[in-house]
Amino acid sequence: MSSSPTAPPYGQQPPPGYGYGYPPPQQGPRTHAIVALVISIVLALSCYITPGGIAGAIMSGIALGQVDTHPDKARNLLKWTWISIGINVALVVLGFGVIIALGVSGNLD
């Protein structure tokens, strides 16, 4: 019995060029740092989320500078960047919700 012409016999190494090729590129901390930096700058320039945007811009900028030398520290900074952005966005949504509730109840008349 002969084996398939594309696969080597059992236990032998495949010839060069055999296999599935290179895996697709993964999004690393550099990509996440750039995205967080852009979002933080946009939020810092807005009127409502300035403190979270400034803090996020500082942390993501530091993380972007440390991606190559300290990737674990960069990931940790990025985690806290997203947390600070999320907290500030949640506070803005809560604030608008309170204003809407006060307006509907007639307390702003």
Side-chain angles (χ1 to χ4, degrees), residues 14-108:
Y18 181 80
Y20 295 105
Y22 295 107
Q26 300 294 321
Q27 289 185 344
R30 181 178 304 281
T31 304
H32 291 284
I34 292 171
V35 170
L37 182 63
V38 169
I39 291 173
S40 297
I41 289 173
V42 168
L43 294 178
L45 296 176
S46 72
C47 297
Y48 303 108
I49 314 176
T50 302
I54 292 171
I58 291 170
M59 287 189 289
S60 60
I62 293 170
L64 189 57
Q66 295 184 350
V67 165
D68 294 328
T69 58
H70 304 291
D72 291 334
K73 189 174 180 182
R75 284 187 188 97
N76 191 31
L77 282 168
L78 289 172
K79 177 182 73 169
W80 286 106
T81 299
W82 289 112
I83 289 171
S84 72
I85 291 171
I87 287 172
N88 282 285
V89 169
L91 288 174
V92 167
V93 170
L94 181 67
F96 281 130
V98 167
I99 290 172
I100 290 171
L102 289 173
V104 169
S105 67
N107 290 331
L108 294 179

